[in-house]
Amino acid sequence: MGKKATYGRGHPKFLEYVQFIASHPAYKGMPDAVLDGGGIQWEAPSNRQSGKFKDTHGKRLEWWRKKAASVGIDPTSGAGWISETAKRIHPTKEKPCKNCGRILDIRYVYPSEILLRRVRALPYFDESFPLDPLEHVRDLIGRLVEKFGDRVFSDLPALLKCSGLAIPALPRSLDPWLEWVARVYVPHEPATLSPGAMSNAPDRFDGFHSFNRCCRSSADRGRSKQNLQSYTTDRRVFEYWVDGDWMAANELMGVIRSNTSLQRERCLNGHSGPCSADHIGPVSLGFAHRPEFALLCRSCNSTKNNRMSLGDVNALRAAESRGGSVASWYAEDLWNLRKADVDSDEKALRLSKMLRDNRHTAMHVLNKVASEGHLTFLTAFLGLPYAEHDPKFDGVRVEGGVVKFDALVVRERGTKYAPEQKARRLRVAFEALGDYVSKAGRNALLVMTPEVVKKLKQALAVLDKCPADIKALDRKLRKIFADDPPSEEALRAIVEQLPRPESEPACFEQAKALLRETMHLVGKEISLRWADDRYVRAQEEED
């Protein structure tokens, strides 16, 4: 295969992948690999009736039979032999989509509708927990445990039930379950899981459909299933990169989800239940995790999305008047600049749109820090020490559609759960941040004025001068995240080495101050656009 061989149209990542596969030793000898003009013959459909390559499909089928036998798969064993061969010889086990470039695993690692339906049927599930058919099953299980607690372990056998495989009695701990899922469950290819790309050998060079699961329903005109696009990744980046006691907030939300009497209360807007918990101050706009929730019925929750009303802004201002902090570090300046101007629902929506653009820029700022390798510094924004807490609420009740409690009692968590939780939070936070900034087509404003860029560079210059022990941790973290997926064991080990808030080096404090100044400039720039059509006119909600 010559290096200059090319392929036609497609996402740049897919075109690069085509070159990689066509020149890989695993596919050596593929019949009719190169066209007369030097291009890669990726497709070999079975319906060609004439032409020089009308027999390519048959020749490639024979190639796949020989390849199957060479790797120990019997090509007479049944219809699945060719797809098993395609998975077995694939060098990376993942491929980018021809349409959008999203890289998905070719193995059965994504929840099928069967599994998603079972999750929706859990008695404590509500629509505030997003479900994504393109989320790795290990991440789905991890999020379930994180949000709903240890009760999930009792339900996992029923959730994962499938034919031909007995679900073992495993400890009530995340690690054993994730290890078993990776080692046994995924290779079994149960009906509860789906692959990221369907097998299509010998029609395609690599043996898989060009359009991944993300786009087959929209890009492949031969399919008309529902659009699989979802927003779980975005929700994660919002939830993981904001301030506040996420453990306390999660615990109170869990209490609400498991208490049917609370759910039967009337919602904040006076409608009958069932109700679910809604953050007073959306984390998707940069507000902090706080154990304060309103009850909203399904209709109100769906209508609200990530928009604030005047009532929300009034509740947040009231919380501040009681001495609480409601906004995260990157949203606080814009919030303070414009919160007093909100005296109507229209202006509350206007501020919501501005905070959305502010958050979008903040995620790019954080990703710039990550791309420069300062990962240890970024862990200071994740609230990892909260994983050591075991919060409990006394006297939980509902008053006027808002969940109240008499006391919050916080005990130290005495099990290995804390390192597991820290490691998972660390992994998902960095994965979500990278995924967020790589997503194209957002209706969002990125504010990178010369003043903003200059201030960000100053913060990076400070981090470049951090002590040697911090740089050593940076190297360890970069090495861990170079693997896909990163080692959970390595992450659990390194989280215990990260500096705690009370022992952070001076460079962290200085860099945080400069990033705060960076976001002050961003907030000021967005605030000046208060009367712009972008925020005043009606527009389609993004996210």
Side-chain angles (χ1 to χ4, degrees), residues 38 99 215 219 447 457 493 528:
N99 185 58
C215 289
V447 180
K457 287 182 177 179
L528 292 173

Side-chain angles (χ1 to χ4, degrees), residues 348-365:
L349 176 58
R350 195 187 310 185
L351 181 53
S352 300
K353 297 173 183 177
M354 300 179 91
L355 285 166
R356 186 187 311 148
D357 284 342
N358 183 81
R359 174 216 68 212
H360 180 70
T361 301
M363 295 304 105
H364 279 266
V365 166

Side-chain angles (χ1 to χ4, degrees), residues 29 57-58 61 74 127 137 193 214 219-220 238 243 250 267 277 309 337 357-358 376 382 396 422 457 459 494 543:
H57 182 88
L61 179 58
D74 182 0
E127 292 185 353
V137 64
L193 300 179
C214 48
D220 188 338
F238 307 151
D243 295 343
N250 284 350
C267 90
S309 66
L337 284 168
D357 284 342
N358 183 81
T376 308
L382 297 177
V396 178
K422 290 180 184 179
K457 287 182 177 179
I494 203 168
D543 301 335

Side-chain angles (χ1 to χ4, degrees), residues 12 43 176 210 289 456:
E43 297 90 357
S210 297
H289 288 293
L456 177 55

